[in-house]
Amino acid sequence: MKPVYLSMQAFGPFAAKEEVDFTRLGENPLFLINGPTGAGKSTLLDAICFALYGQAADDDREPAALRSDMAAPQLLTEVEFLFALGEKQYRIARMPAQNKPKQRGEGFTTQATEAKLWEITADGNEILLVQKKATEVTEKVVELTGLTAEQFRQVMVLPQGKFRALLLANSQQRESIFSQLFQTAIYRKIEEKLKQRAADIEESKNKHDQKIAGLLESADCGSEAALKEKTSQLAPLVEELKTQKELAFEQFLLFEKERSGATALQELFRQKESCQNSLATLEQARGQLRQSEHKLARSSQAALLMPLIQAREVAEKHCENLRQELQALALKMASAGKKLEETRGQFELATTQYRQKDDLNVQIHELERYREKMVLLQQKQVEHERLQAVLRQINQSHDEQLFARQHKQQQLEQTREKIVGLQIFVEGLSDAVQQLDQAEHALQLKKQYDALLDKSRALTERVRVDTASVEKTRQIWQEMHQEDTRLQIQWHREQAAQLASRLRLNEPCPVCGSTTHPQPAQVQQALLDKEDLERSALRLENARQQLQNMENSLVQVRTLQEAFAVQINEQLEALGDSASVPASTLQDMCEQARKQVNQCRQARQSRSLLQEQLAVLAKELSQLDETLQHTREKQQAIRLSQASLENELKLRLAELPEPFRDATVLEQTLTAFRQRLALLQNEYEMSRQAYDQASQDSVQLQERKAGLDNRQEQAIVVLQQARQACQDQLERHAFDSEQACRQAVLDEHERQALEQYVKRFNRQQYELEGQYKNICEQLEGKTLPDLTQMESRHEQMKQLRDQAQHAWQQHAEKLHQLASVAVKIDRMHEQNAGLEREYAIYGTLSHIANGRGDSRISLQRFVLSVLLDDVLADATMRLRLMSKGRYQLIRKEDRAKGNSRSGLDLEVMDEYTGIARPVATLSGGESFMAALSLALGLSDVVQAYAGGIRLDTLFIDEGFGSLDMDSLDLAIRTLLDLQASGRTIGIISHVTELKEQMALRIDVLPSERGSSIKVQGVQ
């Protein structure tokens, strides 16, 4: 991070606005911030720290105390800081909470803390990243720089009286700083991952152990040995029951086979009776069969005669059709003769009229010549009308342009008046924007305040509910504790009773040694098992853990409630007088202020638009004047052309005869002559074609009649032959008439039905006779069985089979359950063995990585210790130079006492004594040199690591006064070397020797009206 620009207003000793442009000091300057004590040198560092983090360089001072007491009341305290991070630049503006005069009335109001953050792009534009929210700006700065406020003061700013902070920090503090600078959070994540992995493995093993106990409990066994014993006792019984079950099944199957045979025999007797009944039924229906067979035979004979009958009918129909066709043809021939005579007369008349066509052609040619002259006349008339229309249009345009010029002149004057009226609103925009910002800020604070109140109420209710739950859980735990205590006492009494049962008179007691036993303990109730005590203890421990978790949760909620209370008080202070104002009222105030701002902005925008319109109107007015002059010139030219065209029209009109000077009359006459000529030609062609067609039709009808006469003679011969053949066949097949033959014919569906009936009857009779014969052969020598007695015996044997099956199945399932539990337990043991092997790896790694070994150094701290060694190597080179070879910084490798974290503590090696001692034993000047060397070494190493945070700026506040002249020269030489490597270094000091050696300075000049700043040594 490099400073670019700093502005302070009403800040510390600076009553007015003071600015520091660091770019004027050069690319990588080494400069002195000089001035007398109390002038405000350290205030520059306060301003930078306040702009970035909202805190002073010295964290003992509150931000509210940074306001200048000499500043005017209306001048607000504000700091603006522009800085660079690599190639990017950012700008921060921040104001602390302060009192300011009210805009209306007397007194003061509270200005809440505000901060804004912008990113400056390469083209100079600004992008607002955070608006007004001071905490969000601070969080964004920490994200960008990688440093908190405390870490920034330790590694980039060495404040007055605090330059030894980084040097004297303990391992834990230095770990926090270095992990941020070197971004070693990945190693911390590795530690947490290993720790979580080891915990997960351990939890999994405990769950497996609990599952094993649950499996044993489900099998009603107290241990795995009891499970094995129970299994070995049950297995022989299951085998014996299985043998009994199989014997019962064999007996049942044998009887089932015998029962099936009796059932089949009974079915055969039933089938024999059924066959006898079916055969009797068929014999009764045999008469109907004979009728169907006779009907089928008559149908076959009729089917042979039907083609002859149909051929005769076709011949009769053909003869009738030819007779009707000859009658119709005779009528057509008479009509055709009459039409032939009519067309001959029409053709002769059309030929006579057609001879008039030559006279009509001469008259048409003359009229076409007149029409050509009429076309030329019409063209001139059209041109004359066009000129008249153009003249009318130009005259209209002239009037419109003249009106538009007058209207544009009025618009110009009105626009000037509007601009004057809007100027008042434009001048009030600044005040309106300020009022809107104040109203929106108050509304935002009010909404946050109301939201915090809602959350606080919800937390209060949650505390009440959680408190009741904790009390209920505590009561349950106490009851379980009492029950566990009772069981413990009972178990001890039972143990005592068991010992007492073995006592013998005159034999010493194994507990107290007495030979008399006046009151030996007695067993009062059923003996307790050790496992009962363990289960009770487990339930008690689970209840205790649940109670502890609920109490921890209640503490977290109460802590969160207290934090909300603090935030509510902070918001209440920030709201000030606005705290009692409802949010709706503040919303209305914002809307009113926003309307006022919008009105002013719209007025400013409208004024700009009107000014642009004014320029456009003036330009348009000038263009209208030019257009009006051009229109007047066109009017004069068209009037001259119109007069010349009127003279030519008079000459063209004189060339046409009087009857044909009207184009419509001429065109109608010409059209009539052409139509007359076309009509004559059309009538001649039509009459000729009609006469030719009538002659052709008469000849065709004569030829068609001769053909029909011949076909009619042939059809009569065929009809006589068909009638004779049909009569002969009817007599031959014994049909009395043609009607009897037609009745004997069956349709296809009926014939197929009769054929199927005959076939089905014969096939059914054959099958029944064969089936009856087969059944009689099977039943020969056999009697009908008694199935009722067999069913009763079958039911008894089925009950015996089911009882044997149920007994075997019940014990087999129990044995299978025990075997399944044993298999699951074996699998659990295998999984536990795998978890133990896995824990041996991850548990060891977690133990080492989290610093639980002998060295007490975690993985992240080990990495940081290596990085710290690099820092100390660079720091020692500078410290040896400034201390003339006496001191070097080293890392303390001895383990810290107790549980304290170690590995990052520092010591100083004194070459004069050869003994390493704590850095706290260095004198003031020596501590300053060591702290400066450490800061410079840290800057070099952080810059060298890729991805590290850029520490390319260092501010040093005092400390040089504790150095002698030689040490001062060596320190300055070290800083010059650092500057040459690309660092910006600022030294705050009033040491005279530094002022003499460093020409590049920022002088802070005090006065009665406040301090001021002046940059020295720049062009």
Side-chain angles (χ1 to χ4, degrees):
M1 190 273 288
K2 282 191 176 184
V4 178
Y5 170 82
L6 178 65
S7 169
M8 301 170 290
Q9 177 177 286
F11 191 82
F14 303 103
K17 184 175 182 179
E18 296 293 333
E19 300 175 334
V20 180
D21 187 357
F22 291 96
T23 59
R24 297 179 58 199
L25 300 174
E27 184 66 25
N28 300 302
L30 172 62
F31 59 92
L32 176 67
I33 302 176
N34 184 61
T37 301
K41 301 185 298 297
S42 300
T43 305
L44 270 70
L45 300 188
D46 289 335
I48 292 174
C49 289
F50 175 74
L52 292 172
Y53 301 100
Q55 302 178 18
D58 185 356
D59 55 358
D60 294 335
R61 282 176 289 175
E62 293 295 329
L66 297 175
R67 175 170 174 80
S68 175
D69 296 331
M70 295 177 285
Q74 67 273 13
L75 192 64
L76 294 178
T77 300
E78 184 177 9
V79 175
E80 182 180 355
F81 182 46
L82 180 65
F83 62 95
L85 283 174
E87 300 297 328
K88 294 184 178 181
Q89 288 191 351
Y90 300 89
R91 182 168 71 88
I92 296 179
R94 192 188 291 263
M95 291 194 310
Q98 54 192 303
N99 293 326
K100 64 177 181 180
K102 293 182 176 179
Q103 291 185 350
R104 295 182 180 85
E106 299 180 354
F108 290 85
T109 184
T110 301
Q111 168 66 47
T113 302
E114 286 187 6
K116 297 181 180 180
L117 175 63
W118 295 267
E119 179 181 348
I120 303 175
T121 60
D123 54 3
N125 295 324
E126 293 187 347
I127 301 174
L128 183 62
L129 301 180
V130 182
Q131 181 179 6
K132 291 189 178 182
K133 193 83 173 196
T135 55
E136 292 183 4
V137 171
T138 304
E139 293 172 356
K140 189 65 176 178
V141 168
V142 173
E143 177 185 343
L144 292 172
T145 62
L147 298 172
T148 63
E150 179 66 25
Q151 293 164 352
F152 180 80
R153 287 194 291 260
Q154 288 181 318
V155 299
M156 295 186 73
V157 176
L158 302 182
Q160 187 175 12
K162 298 287 184 77
F163 60 86
R164 301 174 66 193
L166 180 61
L167 181 68
L168 300 179
N170 57 31
S171 286
Q172 185 172 357
Q173 294 170 337
R174 197 170 286 113
E175 179 181 7
S176 176
I177 297 171
F178 275 39
S179 62
Q180 283 283 91
L181 294 176
F182 291 103
Q183 301 176 4
T184 58
I186 182 64
Y187 300 104
R188 181 60 184 167
K189 291 180 180 179
I190 292 175
E191 297 173 11
E192 294 173 354
K193 288 287 185 182
L194 289 172
K195 184 177 180 181
Q196 184 61 41
R197 180 60 176 159
D200 291 344
I201 295 172
E202 190 172 4
E203 182 180 0
S204 297
K205 186 178 182 306
N206 292 335
K207 288 181 179 179
H208 285 168
D209 292 339
Q210 293 174 3
K211 288 181 180 179
I212 291 174
L215 288 171
L216 290 173
E217 186 175 356
S218 66
D220 196 19
C221 296
S223 63
E224 294 182 38
L227 177 64
K228 291 181 180 179
E229 182 179 357
K230 197 171 185 179
T231 302
S232 61
Q233 292 176 356
L234 190 59
L237 178 60
V238 170
E239 287 298 325
E240 182 180 355
L241 292 174
K242 182 179 180 181
T243 303
Q244 295 177 1
K245 179 204 71 168
E246 292 174 350
L247 179 60
F249 264 81
E250 289 177 0
Q251 294 175 353
F252 179 77
L253 290 176
L254 289 174
F255 183 76
E256 185 74 18
K257 185 177 181 181
E258 181 182 352
R259 176 173 168 269
S260 298
T263 304
L265 183 60
Q266 188 184 40
E267 178 64 20
L268 281 176
F269 276 103
R270 187 194 65 76
Q271 291 177 2
K272 178 182 177 182
E273 184 180 358
S274 176
C275 285
Q276 289 175 345
N277 295 333
S278 298
L279 287 171
T281 303
L282 287 177
E283 189 63 29
Q284 293 174 2
R286 189 170 299 277
Q288 182 180 356
L289 174 67
R290 292 190 182 95
Q291 292 177 2
S292 298
E293 290 175 343
H294 177 70
K295 195 174 184 180
L296 281 173
R298 294 282 290 172
S299 174
S300 299
Q301 292 176 358
L304 295 174
L305 291 175
M306 282 308 296
L308 296 175
I309 296 174
Q310 292 172 356
R312 188 205 64 194
E313 291 176 347
V314 170
E316 289 175 348
K317 186 175 182 181
H318 183 56
C319 286
E320 180 64 21
N321 290 338
L322 288 174
R323 187 185 63 79
Q324 294 176 359
E325 191 172 353
L326 282 170
Q327 290 177 354
L329 184 60
L331 295 175
K332 289 182 180 179
M333 289 178 66
S335 176
K338 185 179 180 181
K339 186 175 182 181
L340 180 62
E341 292 299 326
E342 291 176 355
T343 55
R344 182 184 292 110
Q346 292 174 357
F347 178 65
E348 292 174 353
L349 178 62
T351 302
T352 303
Q353 293 177 350
Y354 186 64
R355 295 189 182 97
Q356 301 174 7
K357 65 181 181 64
D358 295 334
D359 295 336
L360 287 174
N361 284 328
V362 172
Q363 292 175 0
I364 289 172
H365 179 71
E366 185 67 19
L367 290 174
E368 286 179 345
R369 190 168 59 83
Y370 289 156
R371 190 176 66 171
E372 292 175 356
K373 293 181 179 181
M374 178 60 72
V375 170
L376 294 176
L377 177 63
Q378 288 176 341
Q379 290 177 352
K380 295 300 180 181
Q381 289 175 343
V382 170
E383 180 65 18
H384 182 263
E385 292 174 356
R386 187 188 65 79
L387 288 176
Q388 286 181 334
V390 171
L391 182 59
R392 287 194 299 271
Q393 185 177 3
I394 291 176
N395 290 337
Q396 184 180 359
S397 299
H398 177 269
D399 296 340
E400 291 175 353
Q401 291 168 4
L402 186 61
F403 176 77
R405 187 190 182 285
Q406 295 173 353
H407 179 65
K408 195 68 68 177
Q409 184 68 34
Q410 292 177 358
Q411 287 182 336
L412 189 68
E413 297 300 329
Q414 292 173 358
T415 303
R416 286 174 178 164
E417 293 176 358
K418 290 180 181 179
I419 291 174
V420 174
L422 292 172
Q423 187 63 32
I424 299 174
F425 291 98
V426 174
E427 293 175 353
L429 177 61
S430 177
D431 294 338
V433 170
Q434 185 176 3
Q435 292 177 3
L436 177 60
D437 290 341
Q438 293 173 354
E440 288 180 342
H441 181 66
L443 178 61
Q444 183 180 7
L445 289 177
K446 182 65 176 178
K447 289 180 178 179
Q448 294 174 353
Y449 175 72
D450 293 342
L452 288 172
L453 281 178
D454 294 339
K455 292 180 180 179
S456 178
R457 295 188 187 102
L459 285 174
T460 302
E461 177 62 20
R462 183 177 174 184
V463 166
R464 185 188 66 77
V465 174
D466 289 356
T467 302
S469 299
V470 167
E471 292 299 327
K472 184 177 180 180
T473 305
R474 182 179 288 109
Q475 182 178 0
I476 293 173
W477 176 80
Q478 289 174 352
E479 293 174 356
M480 287 185 176
H481 187 271
Q482 293 175 359
E483 177 64 17
D484 183 70
T485 303
R486 185 189 65 78
L487 290 175
Q488 291 283 353
I489 295 173
Q490 180 182 346
W491 187 80
H492 286 294
R493 287 175 177 173
E494 291 173 354
Q495 295 300 314
Q498 291 181 6
L499 289 174
S501 64
R502 300 187 182 94
L503 294 177
R504 298 292 182 268
L505 189 61
N506 298 325
E507 291 183 3
C509 175
V511 178
C512 62
S514 174
T515 57
T516 59
H517 317 295
Q519 292 183 347
Q522 301 292 329
V523 177
Q524 302 296 329
Q525 54 188 351
L527 293 179
L528 285 177
D529 195 349
K530 183 66 175 178
E531 295 177 356
D532 294 336
L533 294 178
E534 293 176 354
R535 284 194 290 269
S536 175
L538 180 60
R539 289 194 296 269
L540 182 63
E541 178 61 21
N542 292 337
R544 185 193 65 77
Q545 290 181 359
Q546 183 181 3
L547 176 62
Q548 184 177 358
N549 293 335
M550 295 179 68
E551 289 177 342
N552 293 338
S553 176
L554 180 61
V555 170
Q556 292 176 358
V557 174
R558 285 175 174 169
T559 303
L560 186 60
Q561 186 184 27
E562 294 173 358
F564 271 114
V566 173
Q567 293 182 16
I568 290 173
N569 292 332
E570 292 177 353
Q571 291 293 111
L572 195 60
E573 293 176 1
L575 279 170
D577 297 338
S578 301
S580 59
V581 179
S584 58
T585 304
L586 293 176
Q587 182 70 36
D588 294 340
M589 294 171 62
C590 285
E591 292 299 327
Q592 293 176 0
R594 189 176 291 107
K595 290 180 181 178
Q596 183 67 22
V597 169
N598 292 335
Q599 185 178 8
C600 293
R601 286 175 176 169
Q602 290 175 358
R604 183 177 64 182
Q605 185 177 6
S606 300
R607 185 189 66 174
S608 300
L609 294 174
L610 289 173
Q611 289 174 344
E612 295 175 359
Q613 292 177 5
L614 188 64
V616 172
L617 288 172
K619 184 177 180 181
E620 291 176 349
L621 192 61
S622 176
Q623 292 174 351
L624 283 173
D625 290 337
E626 295 178 0
T627 306
L628 195 60
Q629 180 62 29
H630 181 66
T631 303
R632 288 169 179 168
E633 293 174 357
K634 289 176 66 176
Q635 277 179 329
Q636 185 64 25
I638 291 174
R639 287 193 180 103
L640 293 175
S641 300
Q642 191 177 23
S644 175
L645 189 58
E646 288 175 353
N647 292 330
E648 187 176 357
L649 281 173
K650 292 178 181 179
L651 295 175
R652 295 284 183 186
L653 189 62
E655 295 178 354
L656 293 171
E658 185 67 26
F660 299 124
R661 288 181 180 179
D662 187 349
T664 305
V665 175
L666 177 61
E667 192 66 32
Q668 289 176 352
T669 304
L670 181 60
T671 302
F673 283 176
R674 286 177 175 171
Q675 289 176 350
R676 176 61 181 165
L677 180 61
L679 181 62
L680 290 175
Q681 291 176 342
N682 188 33
E683 289 178 350
Y684 173 77
E685 291 294 331
M686 290 179 63
S687 62
R688 185 182 61 81
Q689 291 176 0
Y691 177 69
D692 293 343
Q693 183 65 39
S695 300
Q696 185 179 0
D697 290 344
S698 178
V699 173
Q700 290 177 351
L701 289 173
Q702 292 289 342
E703 293 175 352
R704 185 179 176 189
K705 182 177 182 302
L708 285 175
D709 290 339
N710 187 26
R711 290 171 56 191
Q712 186 180 31
E713 293 176 357
Q714 294 176 358
I716 291 172
V717 172
V718 171
L719 176 60
Q720 292 175 351
Q721 293 175 354
R723 285 175 176 173
Q724 185 62 39
C726 184
Q727 183 63 34
D728 293 343
Q729 290 298 323
L730 284 173
E731 294 176 354
R732 180 181 176 185
H733 288 87
F735 283 107
D736 296 338
S737 65
E738 183 180 329
Q739 182 66 25
C741 181
R742 291 180 181 275
Q743 291 176 354
V745 175
L746 298 175
D747 59 28
E748 184 64 20
H749 178 73
E750 187 177 1
R751 185 183 61 81
Q752 289 180 358
L754 289 174
E755 288 177 351
Q756 290 178 359
Y757 170 73
V758 172
K759 291 180 181 178
R760 185 169 58 252
F761 186 94
N762 294 329
R763 184 176 62 251
Q764 187 175 5
Q765 182 178 9
Y766 175 77
E767 290 176 352
L768 286 172
E769 289 175 351
Q771 185 178 2
Y772 181 74
K773 181 179 179 181
N774 187 28
I775 292 174
C776 290
E777 291 176 354
Q778 293 180 20
L779 292 177
E780 187 176 358
K782 295 181 180 179
T783 59
L784 185 66
D786 186 2
L787 289 181
T788 304
Q789 183 179 0
M790 297 188 75
E791 286 295 333
S792 176
R793 186 182 173 193
H794 176 267
E795 188 63 29
Q796 294 175 0
M797 296 189 71
K798 183 178 179 182
Q799 291 179 359
L800 293 175
R801 182 204 63 181
D802 292 342
Q803 291 174 359
Q805 171 72 17
H806 178 70
W808 170 80
Q809 187 174 5
Q810 182 178 6
H811 290 80
E813 287 177 355
K814 183 63 176 178
L815 181 62
H816 177 72
Q817 180 184 2
L818 295 177
S820 176
V821 168
V823 171
K824 291 179 181 178
I825 290 175
D826 292 340
R827 193 178 301 119
M828 292 292 179
H829 285 311
E830 292 177 1
Q831 293 175 356
N832 275 350
L835 289 173
E836 290 173 356
R837 291 191 297 271
E838 194 174 359
Y839 187 80
I841 299 173
Y842 287 100
T844 304
L845 290 175
S846 174
H847 187 77
I848 297 173
N850 284 276
R852 297 178 183 175
D854 295 336
S855 61
R856 306 291 295 176
I857 298 177
S858 64
L859 176 61
Q860 180 178 237
R861 188 164 297 179
F862 173 76
V863 174
L864 292 177
S865 67
V866 176
L867 296 173
L868 178 59
D869 290 339
D870 294 342
V871 173
L872 295 179
D874 280 14
T876 295
M877 288 192 298
R878 294 184 172 89
L879 180 58
R880 289 176 65 87
L881 179 63
M882 287 187 282
S883 65
K884 300 177 183 178
R886 179 176 179 180
Y887 294 115
Q888 59 176 323
L889 290 173
I890 61 174
R891 181 170 61 87
K892 184 178 180 182
E893 298 184 357
D894 295 340
R895 175 183 168 184
K897 295 181 179 180
N899 293 325
S900 300
R901 298 180 180 178
S902 59
L904 299 179
D905 293 324
L906 298 184
E907 289 182 331
V908 61
M909 174 61 72
D910 191 343
E911 297 294 340
Y912 289 179
T913 62
I915 299 175
R917 52 191 173 92
V919 291
T921 60
L922 295 173
S923 64
E926 292 171 341
S927 295
F928 173 75
M929 290 189 295
L932 179 59
S933 300
L934 183 60
L936 299 181
L938 180 61
S939 176
D940 286 342
V941 174
V942 171
Q943 292 286 91
Y945 278 87
I949 298 169
R950 300 182 62 86
L951 303 180
D952 41 16
T953 300
L954 181 65
F955 287 98
I956 307 169
D957 190 357
E958 293 300 342
F960 290 92
S962 60
L963 303 179
D964 55 34
M965 289 302 298
D966 291 340
S967 298
L968 181 61
D969 290 339
L970 292 172
I972 295 299
R973 190 183 307 167
T974 300
L975 294 176
L976 287 172
D977 292 340
L978 186 64
Q979 176 203 7
S981 65
R983 305 291 199 280
T984 295
I985 302 173
I987 299 174
I988 300 177
S989 180
H990 58 272
V991 176
T992 305
E993 290 77 10
L994 284 175
K995 184 177 180 180
E996 295 174 352
Q997 294 185 38
M998 302 176 66
L1000 192 61
R1001 304 195 311 274
I1002 298 176
D1003 288 341
V1004 183
L1005 308 175
S1007 69
E1008 295 178 355
R1009 294 185 298 275
S1011 299
S1012 59
I1013 293 176
K1014 184 177 182 181
V1015 180
Q1016 301 287 351
V1018 297
Q1019 298 294 330

